[in-house]
Amino acid sequence: MSFESVDPGEGHSIAAWTAVTIMLLAVAIGTVAFFLVIPWLVWASVGLLVVGLLVGWILAKIGYGVADTAHLGH
């Protein structure tokens, strides 16, 4: 039995993987810094989290994201 799937492929792109990797690293660093009471590093990891978000958005805008399939009529 076969099922047709209309999966837009969200999250399966260079932009998504890069953004998630940077943000996951930021959260890991921030967690350790919070535990070790290093306030400047906690705030630096918050900044890195924002950088990860921006990098993912920029990569998606320049063509490394998943293409928009709404115009295909699916």
Side-chain angles (χ1 to χ4, degrees):
M1 184 177 280
S2 174
F3 294 101
E4 184 177 334
S5 175
V6 183
D7 181 15
E10 292 181 26
H12 301 291
S13 68
I14 293 173
W17 281 102
T18 303
V20 168
T21 301
I22 292 171
M23 291 189 288
L24 185 61
L25 182 63
V27 168
I29 291 170
T31 301
V32 172
F34 187 80
F35 179 75
L36 297 176
V37 191
I38 308 172
W40 69 267
L41 191 54
V42 172
W43 288 109
S45 67
V46 170
L48 185 59
L49 189 74
V50 172
V51 167
L53 182 65
L54 290 173
V55 166
W57 181 75
I58 290 168
L59 285 174
K61 290 296 180 187
I62 63 173
Y64 289 102
V66 175
D68 182 17
T69 58
H71 67 279
L72 297 176
H74 292 287

